[in-house]
Amino acid sequence: MTPRRLGLKYCGGCQPRYDRTAAVARLARRLAGRIVLVAWDDPLAESVLVVCGCDVSCADVAAIDKPLVWVSSAAQADAITWKEMP
């Protein structure tokens, strides 16, 4: 099975309520072999994980024309499964 390319886009981080980097690292470890994290603007990314530090979720996604998976808490990041990736 070829891993799916998942773009990664962070918000500006003005009011993070959890360690976004650690949450993404846990996700990457859990889904190792099934996904490869790449830049959000990678032309080969199949979808984009938008990692927001709080519930405001103000990340600018206007330039992204791929399916988005939004995360605004560590619990949401920890709950994502491979099957939920668009």
Side-chain angles (χ1 to χ4, degrees), residues 33-72:
R34 295 182 180 253
I35 65 164
V36 173
L37 294 175
V38 297
W40 69 268
D41 57 354
D42 183 317
L44 299 177
E46 299 173 49
S47 56
V48 176
L49 178 66
V50 184
V51 183
C52 299
C54 69
D55 290 336
V56 174
S57 298
C58 63
D60 182 7
V61 296
I64 302 174
D65 65 347
K66 298 176 180 173
L68 304 175
V69 177
W70 289 83
V71 169
S72 61

